Amino acid sequence: MAARISSVGNYAELSVLTVGSDIWFTESGQIWWNAALQPMLSDNSDGGQLITEREYQLIKEYPIPTNVTAAMVTELVMRLNNTVHNWDRGVLEDSGMISYREYNVHVTKINEDTEAARQQGHDSIFSAYDSTADEFEEAGKADEGVCAKVRIQIKQRLVITRDAFNARLEIENGESDQLTDIRVVIEIYSRNGTRTLAMDRFAIGNPTIAGITGTETQWSLATKTTGSAEWLIIPYSQAAPTQDTDYDIGGTLYYMVNGENLSVPLFPDTITVMPDPRLHLNYFLEKFVRADDPFTKAVVEPSIPFTLGILVSNSGFGAAKDLKISSGQPEIIDNEKGLLITFRIIGAQLGMQPISPSLDVTFGNVDPHSTKMARWLMTSSLQGKFSNYSATFQNTNPLGDPQLSIMDSIYFHELLHNVRVDWPADDQLSDFLVIDKSSATALPNLIYKSDDGLNPLPVTIGNVTTLEFLSPKEIQVSVKAHYPGWVYFQTPVTVNTALQVSAAIRSDGRQVISEHNAWIDTILNKTKLHILDYFDNSTLKMARVTYHLTLFRPNDRAPKFEKRRYEANVSEAESVITDLLTTHAVDADGDAVTYHLADTNYFAIDSTNGSLSLIKELDRETVAEHTFRVFAVDNGTPSRTGTAAVSVIVTDINDNAPEFEPSVYEATIEVDTPPGFDVLQVMAKDNDVGSNAQLLYSLQTDGVVFSVNSSTGMLSTTETIQSSPSTHTLTCVVSDKGVSPRNSTANIIINVINKNLHPPEFGHLNYNFSSLENATIGFELGEVSATDADSHSPNNVVRFSLAPASSSRLPFSVDQETGKVTVTGYLDRETTDTYTFEIIAADRGVPPTGQLSATTTVMVSILDVNDNRPSFPRSRFEYRILENLPSGELILKVKATDSDLGSNGAISSYELTPVTGNANFNLVVTNDSYAMIYTNSSLDREEFDRHTLILEVSDGGNPPRTGSTDVVIIVTDMNDNPPKFDSSLVQKSISRDTPVNTPVATVHATDIDTTGLLRYSINRTSNEPFQINEDSGAVRLSKQLSIVDPSSFNLSVIVSDGIFTDKMSLIINVITTNTYAPEFDGAPYAVVVNESVDAGRSIFQVTATDRDSSLVTYLITLGNTGNIFEIDSIEGIISTRGELDRETTPFYQLTVEASDGGINGQNILTSTAKVDVVVLDVNEHYPEFISGGIISLSVQEESKPGIMLGQVLATDEDRHNVSYHMVPGDEAAHFAVDTDSGNVTTNATLDRELKGSYQFEVEARDNGEPPLTSTAVVMVTVTDINDNEPEFDQSQYNISLQADDVVPGAVQLVVHASDEDEGRNAVVTYSIAGVGFMVDNHTGEITSELDGSSVTETTVYRFHVIATDQGIQPKWSMANVSITVLPGNQTRVTLLPGNQTTDVGTTTISMVTTPMQPKNTTVKTSGSPSIYRDSSLFFVTLLIVARCMML
């Protein structure tokens, strides 16, 4: 202990040596040092470790500690600057600076003490001191408790998409000998700027070979085989530090064949490397854990979820793509005293998204220089506090190269509270108020914002000067802040621990966010008020700053009924019953409860005691069970409601007589029917139930030959029926089995007739019919007939039907009375030409003999009609023939076919009709019905290069049918036309000083043939100084002109296509120089035009003249946006080419250039003029809503009137102002729209339960002349708020188990909770705070982690299960569970007061790149590398250690 006190004392002495006095070591001095001085000493400040003059002035502006003067600040700054300056020059000892010798002595001892602390398992001398102090304190409390150390680890995996490249080389050995000594040298060059070798910017893995043999450096490839090698190439971060960078990957292939060493260059391929992300992880673990206090044996305190937060920051220039962190549950890896404690993660949340029961967090992309926040919600089964955090990590990757790591830092912070930074703006996200290691006061000193994990905000500590209770739920607090920025205050407060802050208002009117920035908590039986607020300089200057805080007891819990469902039985004979049953609900908040009913008019409830009464007569036959709800409403704020179901079963009385259906029965039987024959069955029903509905049947008539089965109602003969014909009339009675039986009767009539002796007989054994295939449905084919030899009806009445085997697929039917056969479906002879089927004739005999029948065969022949067109083998024929083909050449021979019969299927005639081209073709038809097409004259391609004919065919039907095919004849070219010059005479002018080889003119000829190649030449009569390009016709000056040369040359130019020629004259005049440029008349110009002007309309004309009398041409050179205007090059008339749109472009400034002809295209002079075109508006566009014709908005129920739901916005392409107006309607009255902004607000408080959605119209109106309007439908959805907590079916679950049934993984109990809300507010997940058991998050199944074989005596396990909904502000409830294991022996560990340590263990984060599609790289030379994007796995192992004292 003494040694560790000495270590800390040595550190304090070094601190005094640094600043020169211990006066700085106060709370305000420490705050001033961190906020004002330390930032000026950082390496990235203006002067680095030296304080500049500007930094000195900033330090002086910061409020100094109360016990320090301005002179002392100046002295400290000079002391620090003198030390840095002198040590840099080698001066180590002098006045006014830090002594290097003394400084070195203290630093050496600190290093030695730190190393000793680490060897003892501590991360610093301060944690070693804390540990010793704890042990010392425990030694003084040896009679009060023991120390229990627990170490846990959380394994997490971080996955990220990252680029890599695969280089593939393929070698094909076509030699007669093997290739040996194969090796490859890969080279990577930078393409940006100077081409330089860049091998040091990439990690290259060992190659993977296929088809190649040998070691990694010496390869061989057998003859006539192919081999390949692949390299994984991963760029380092310096390959693309800030932007996409291109590289060439190539190299050289070396090998030996037949004793000769050869090398082949591998042509480079280009890859693009994108910048890497640089990741920084900041973890935040909540310091205090609230859960069960083991010393309160009579109650199990609930486990309050606490936060493990994370900020993932990217300081790089590349995005961290598809980032995801998967977490495992905490695992206890060291529990030296067998402490009964569990830690669990119950959910995860990204930003403001709903809490998910999944342990995975999908961040998506983390863009460069941005941060994303997430948190895991954890629970502990015992209360305590965390302290002493540390974190380390190690990176591994496929290439084993540590330089590939993109993880720059990982830190762990002690989290005091989740707060919200609302200045200068509130992003609604949780931020982290932490006690950083740099804090000298063990109070919070930094805020990490959820959108910036790299630049925490400093927090200073203020003083609470007074605290006054204005009422039991109102507090006024006076505070004193010393520095601007975020200030933290805390003070003890004596209040009911259930109270929370509902509002906190500062004396200048600023509202502090309650629960986040103003809160009350009770930790280790100490209740404190905390305030975090932002102070600017004006607030600091206030004489007195006070906060007015309003407290409230949250109405957290709704009343709970003792049962989820109440049941009772009531006889339908009752009309009024008081005290039918009593419901009872308990409110855990202690609020009074009133009772109410819903969904029933038959019952009433006493609002005070929950007693249920019957108030209206019941009828079981109308409603057999009444199910309704009972509500318990508390008087808290806001009030909460619990619900239970009530089921009242109505019991039966015998108030209904049975009834026959029907009331009269009739049947017919034959004479000689034997005894015991079932004739018919009577049936009755009774609306009562039970014995009141059990029926007995009997006959009321005596002396008859029939009897009825008393249970089934089956009527049977008791003796042979001999009289015929005769009729028997019976009366049947049915009675129920009620205490006072009820009955009813039915009449039964039995007719007795003669026996059926003969079956029917058909007139023919077979029938043959025929039908045309186009017969319509209902067409009668013929009639079958049959007779029956019996003498009496119904035995001699015959009915006809199709045999069942064929009736379903036949297109025919038979009339059952007449035997007529008719068509009922579509007939097609080409598909089926004959149908054969059977028809049955049956009489109408009655039991016992029944019906007798006979069959006959029917055959129907289908006759042909002309229902098919003749057709050709193809619908189109295309042929190519040479022009000038002589007359009489055969082009096409083809024959048409027809699937009909006889003349209907015979080919009657062909007809040929020209569509395009001319009629230079003849049609000849052969005796065997072939159509043959011949040429009847020579064809000329230049007249028609394509002929389209229609060949039509007719069959011999009456009327005939026709078919056709297209015949396309393409005429190919012959060189049968001479070329022709565009002009027979062309004149050009040049000056005598025209340089040699200058183009003078270009002549042009055309040839309507396509086969001839034109060649140009000059037919020289003398040595003219000109040459002509034989392909293009361009004429150039071939030698310098002199004064002796003539002033004009007349060249004879010839063009030839190889067979034919043409001539023209090219006159070249030699003149002097071009002197004057064209001059515009009246420039600059302005023109006004409506936007509705038609395309092609002339709007203006410019004119220019040339004093050289040269022809002036015009051209628009600038300002023609969208190429909307054009100018006539000769006349200067400007016209529109397309439609004008003032809303897009209201003004054009065109630049028109006028050019003279120059001299033979040389020395051309130009001038320009501006033409301003102003486009006038026409109100032609209706306002258009940005969101379309239907706009969907939503509002939370119970929101106050005036809340903004959203905005309806419309644009007007005419650029008019748009105003907004409500269209009157019933539902529009609940809302309002701002005329100018389009903001939609509520006019009333809305209740989702009364109406869940609204619909109304909004009009958008522009201010044009005349104004135009559009309307949109606004649909408002009223969303649910999370105002109900989950409710368990039971508040207490009790079960007993035999020890043999308690095995790991076995389901022991299922708990269930439901939530009255909807959507995610009603989705319930479960978590557990218990030892030896776990619960399924979704199903509520509780399974054992224990092995009951070790249980030797009765053991009771008590814990509770938490049900949490998924609202944004989730609500939860708790049920107690008691599991008794018989027999066995398990004693609960009782923890005595003391500091017990928990170490948070190892977390593994793995980063994985996702493969991307290969780049489209073409390998042009055998052996060049193929480069494509690949994926590579990167892993980071993170070790987090924390110490937890279980209190």
Side-chain angles (χ1 to χ4, degrees), residues 186-199 201 246-252 265-270:
I186 294 179
E187 295 178 340
I188 305 177
Y189 288 90
S190 170
R191 287 175 55 90
N192 294 10
T194 305
R195 179 179 169 85
T196 56
L197 193 63
M199 300 297 294
R201 303 178 194 175
D246 291 338
Y247 291 88
D248 284 338
I249 298 183
T252 306
L266 305 179
F267 295 106
D269 198 0
T270 301

Short mmCIF file of all heavy atoms in Angstrom, two decimals, residues 186-199 201 246-252 265-270:
data_model
loop_
_atom_site.label_atom_id
_atom_site.label_comp_id
_atom_site.label_asym_id
_atom_site.label_seq_id
_atom_site.Cartn_x
_atom_site.Cartn_y
_atom_site.Cartn_z
N ILE A 186 6.08 -9.32 -61.27
CA ILE A 186 4.95 -8.38 -61.37
C ILE A 186 5.46 -6.98 -61.09
O ILE A 186 6.22 -6.75 -60.13
CB ILE A 186 3.83 -8.76 -60.40
CG1 ILE A 186 3.22 -10.10 -60.80
CG2 ILE A 186 2.75 -7.68 -60.35
CD1 ILE A 186 2.12 -10.57 -59.88
N GLU A 187 5.04 -6.03 -61.90
CA GLU A 187 5.41 -4.63 -61.73
C GLU A 187 4.15 -3.77 -61.73
O GLU A 187 3.25 -3.98 -62.55
CB GLU A 187 6.35 -4.18 -62.85
CG GLU A 187 7.70 -4.91 -62.83
CD GLU A 187 8.58 -4.48 -63.99
OE1 GLU A 187 8.02 -3.94 -64.97
OE2 GLU A 187 9.80 -4.69 -63.92
N ILE A 188 4.08 -2.85 -60.79
CA ILE A 188 2.93 -1.94 -60.68
C ILE A 188 3.46 -0.51 -60.78
O ILE A 188 4.37 -0.12 -60.03
CB ILE A 188 2.18 -2.13 -59.36
CG1 ILE A 188 1.76 -3.60 -59.20
CG2 ILE A 188 0.96 -1.21 -59.28
CD1 ILE A 188 1.06 -3.90 -57.88
N TYR A 189 2.90 0.25 -61.73
CA TYR A 189 3.32 1.63 -61.96
C TYR A 189 2.15 2.57 -61.73
O TYR A 189 1.00 2.26 -62.03
CB TYR A 189 3.83 1.81 -63.40
CG TYR A 189 5.18 1.18 -63.66
CD1 TYR A 189 5.26 -0.13 -64.10
CD2 TYR A 189 6.36 1.90 -63.46
CE1 TYR A 189 6.50 -0.72 -64.35
CE2 TYR A 189 7.59 1.32 -63.71
CZ TYR A 189 7.66 0.00 -64.15
OH TYR A 189 8.87 -0.57 -64.38
N SER A 190 2.49 3.74 -61.20
CA SER A 190 1.48 4.79 -61.02
C SER A 190 1.22 5.46 -62.36
O SER A 190 2.14 5.74 -63.12
CB SER A 190 1.97 5.82 -60.00
OG SER A 190 1.11 6.94 -59.99
N ARG A 191 -0.07 5.70 -62.67
CA ARG A 191 -0.45 6.38 -63.92
C ARG A 191 -0.70 7.86 -63.70
O ARG A 191 -0.83 8.60 -64.67
CB ARG A 191 -1.71 5.76 -64.50
CG ARG A 191 -1.49 4.40 -65.12
CD ARG A 191 -2.81 3.78 -65.56
NE ARG A 191 -3.56 4.64 -66.46
CZ ARG A 191 -3.44 4.62 -67.79
NH1 ARG A 191 -2.59 3.79 -68.35
NH2 ARG A 191 -4.18 5.42 -68.55
N ASN A 192 -0.81 8.29 -62.46
CA ASN A 192 -1.13 9.69 -62.18
C ASN A 192 0.17 10.49 -62.19
O ASN A 192 1.07 10.27 -61.36
CB ASN A 192 -1.81 9.84 -60.82
CG ASN A 192 -3.17 9.18 -60.82
OD1 ASN A 192 -3.50 8.48 -61.77
ND2 ASN A 192 -3.95 9.41 -59.80
N GLY A 193 0.28 11.41 -63.15
CA GLY A 193 1.51 12.20 -63.23
C GLY A 193 2.64 11.39 -63.82
O GLY A 193 2.49 10.69 -64.81
N THR A 194 3.80 11.48 -63.19
CA THR A 194 4.98 10.77 -63.68
C THR A 194 4.81 9.27 -63.45
O THR A 194 4.39 8.84 -62.39
CB THR A 194 6.24 11.26 -62.95
OG1 THR A 194 6.32 12.67 -63.08
CG2 THR A 194 7.49 10.62 -63.54
N ARG A 195 5.12 8.47 -64.46
CA ARG A 195 5.00 7.01 -64.37
C ARG A 195 6.14 6.50 -63.49
O ARG A 195 7.32 6.51 -63.90
CB ARG A 195 5.06 6.39 -65.76
CG ARG A 195 4.97 4.87 -65.76
CD ARG A 195 5.01 4.36 -67.19
NE ARG A 195 5.19 2.92 -67.24
CZ ARG A 195 4.22 2.04 -67.16
NH1 ARG A 195 2.99 2.46 -67.02
NH2 ARG A 195 4.46 0.73 -67.23
N THR A 196 5.82 6.07 -62.29
CA THR A 196 6.84 5.61 -61.34
C THR A 196 6.45 4.25 -60.80
O THR A 196 5.26 3.91 -60.72
CB THR A 196 6.99 6.60 -60.17
OG1 THR A 196 5.70 6.78 -59.54
CG2 THR A 196 7.50 7.95 -60.66
N LEU A 197 7.46 3.46 -60.43
CA LEU A 197 7.21 2.16 -59.85
C LEU A 197 6.57 2.32 -58.47
O LEU A 197 7.00 3.13 -57.67
CB LEU A 197 8.53 1.38 -59.73
CG LEU A 197 8.41 -0.12 -59.42
CD1 LEU A 197 7.71 -0.82 -60.56
CD2 LEU A 197 9.81 -0.71 -59.22
N ALA A 198 5.50 1.54 -58.21
CA ALA A 198 4.71 1.74 -56.98
C ALA A 198 4.49 0.42 -56.26
O ALA A 198 3.42 0.18 -55.71
CB ALA A 198 3.38 2.40 -57.33
N MET A 199 5.50 -0.45 -56.26
CA MET A 199 5.34 -1.75 -55.61
C MET A 199 5.10 -1.62 -54.11
O MET A 199 4.46 -2.47 -53.50
CB MET A 199 6.57 -2.62 -55.89
CG MET A 199 6.81 -2.89 -57.36
SD MET A 199 5.47 -3.83 -58.10
CE MET A 199 5.65 -5.37 -57.22
N ARG A 201 3.21 0.23 -52.57
CA ARG A 201 1.85 0.65 -52.23
C ARG A 201 0.86 -0.52 -52.27
O ARG A 201 -0.34 -0.31 -52.11
CB ARG A 201 1.37 1.75 -53.18
CG ARG A 201 2.28 2.97 -53.20
CD ARG A 201 1.80 4.01 -54.18
NE ARG A 201 2.83 5.01 -54.44
CZ ARG A 201 2.72 5.99 -55.33
NH1 ARG A 201 1.61 6.09 -56.04
NH2 ARG A 201 3.72 6.84 -55.53
N ASP A 246 -5.18 5.70 -60.48
CA ASP A 246 -5.02 4.64 -61.48
C ASP A 246 -3.61 4.09 -61.44
O ASP A 246 -2.62 4.83 -61.27
CB ASP A 246 -5.31 5.17 -62.88
CG ASP A 246 -6.79 5.51 -63.07
OD1 ASP A 246 -7.61 4.95 -62.31
OD2 ASP A 246 -7.11 6.32 -63.95
N TYR A 247 -3.50 2.77 -61.64
CA TYR A 247 -2.21 2.08 -61.70
C TYR A 247 -2.24 1.09 -62.87
O TYR A 247 -3.30 0.58 -63.24
CB TYR A 247 -1.94 1.31 -60.40
CG TYR A 247 -1.68 2.19 -59.20
CD1 TYR A 247 -2.75 2.64 -58.41
CD2 TYR A 247 -0.39 2.60 -58.85
CE1 TYR A 247 -2.52 3.45 -57.32
CE2 TYR A 247 -0.16 3.41 -57.76
CZ TYR A 247 -1.22 3.84 -57.00
OH TYR A 247 -1.00 4.64 -55.92
N ASP A 248 -1.04 0.85 -63.43
CA ASP A 248 -0.86 -0.19 -64.43
C ASP A 248 -0.19 -1.38 -63.78
O ASP A 248 0.85 -1.23 -63.11
CB ASP A 248 0.02 0.31 -65.59
CG ASP A 248 -0.75 1.23 -66.52
OD1 ASP A 248 -1.98 1.15 -66.51
OD2 ASP A 248 -0.12 2.02 -67.24
N ILE A 249 -0.80 -2.57 -63.96
CA ILE A 249 -0.21 -3.81 -63.45
C ILE A 249 0.24 -4.64 -64.65
O ILE A 249 -0.58 -5.00 -65.50
CB ILE A 249 -1.20 -4.60 -62.58
CG1 ILE A 249 -1.62 -3.79 -61.36
CG2 ILE A 249 -0.57 -5.91 -62.13
CD1 ILE A 249 -2.53 -4.53 -60.42
N GLY A 250 1.52 -4.90 -64.72
CA GLY A 250 2.08 -5.71 -65.79
C GLY A 250 3.26 -6.51 -65.25
O GLY A 250 3.28 -6.91 -64.09
N GLY A 251 4.28 -6.72 -66.10
CA GLY A 251 5.46 -7.44 -65.64
C GLY A 251 6.12 -8.19 -66.77
O GLY A 251 5.94 -7.89 -67.97
N THR A 252 6.88 -9.20 -66.39
CA THR A 252 7.64 -9.98 -67.37
C THR A 252 7.55 -11.46 -67.00
O THR A 252 7.65 -11.82 -65.83
CB THR A 252 9.10 -9.54 -67.41
OG1 THR A 252 9.16 -8.12 -67.63
CG2 THR A 252 9.86 -10.26 -68.53
N PRO A 265 7.11 -9.88 -72.36
CA PRO A 265 6.49 -8.82 -71.54
C PRO A 265 5.01 -9.09 -71.33
O PRO A 265 4.32 -9.56 -72.23
CB PRO A 265 6.73 -7.56 -72.38
CG PRO A 265 6.83 -8.05 -73.79
CD PRO A 265 7.49 -9.41 -73.71
N LEU A 266 4.52 -8.83 -70.13
CA LEU A 266 3.10 -8.94 -69.82
C LEU A 266 2.50 -7.55 -69.95
O LEU A 266 2.80 -6.66 -69.15
CB LEU A 266 2.89 -9.50 -68.41
CG LEU A 266 3.57 -10.84 -68.13
CD1 LEU A 266 3.31 -11.26 -66.70
CD2 LEU A 266 3.07 -11.90 -69.09
N PHE A 267 1.69 -7.37 -70.99
CA PHE A 267 1.18 -6.03 -71.26
C PHE A 267 0.33 -5.55 -70.08
O PHE A 267 -0.52 -6.29 -69.57
CB PHE A 267 0.37 -6.03 -72.55
CG PHE A 267 1.21 -6.34 -73.76
CD1 PHE A 267 1.11 -7.57 -74.37
CD2 PHE A 267 2.11 -5.42 -74.25
CE1 PHE A 267 1.88 -7.87 -75.48
CE2 PHE A 267 2.89 -5.72 -75.35
CZ PHE A 267 2.78 -6.95 -75.98
N PRO A 268 0.54 -4.33 -69.65
CA PRO A 268 -0.12 -3.86 -68.42
C PRO A 268 -1.62 -3.67 -68.61
O PRO A 268 -2.09 -3.38 -69.70
CB PRO A 268 0.57 -2.52 -68.13
CG PRO A 268 1.07 -2.05 -69.46
CD PRO A 268 1.43 -3.29 -70.24
N ASP A 269 -2.33 -3.87 -67.52
CA ASP A 269 -3.76 -3.56 -67.44
C ASP A 269 -3.94 -2.50 -66.39
O ASP A 269 -3.16 -2.41 -65.43
CB ASP A 269 -4.56 -4.81 -67.09
CG ASP A 269 -6.03 -4.65 -67.42
OD1 ASP A 269 -6.40 -3.57 -67.91
OD2 ASP A 269 -6.79 -5.61 -67.20
N THR A 270 -4.97 -1.68 -66.56
CA THR A 270 -5.16 -0.53 -65.66
C THR A 270 -6.19 -0.88 -64.59
O THR A 270 -7.25 -1.44 -64.90
CB THR A 270 -5.62 0.70 -66.44
OG1 THR A 270 -4.64 1.01 -67.42
CG2 THR A 270 -5.82 1.90 -65.52
#
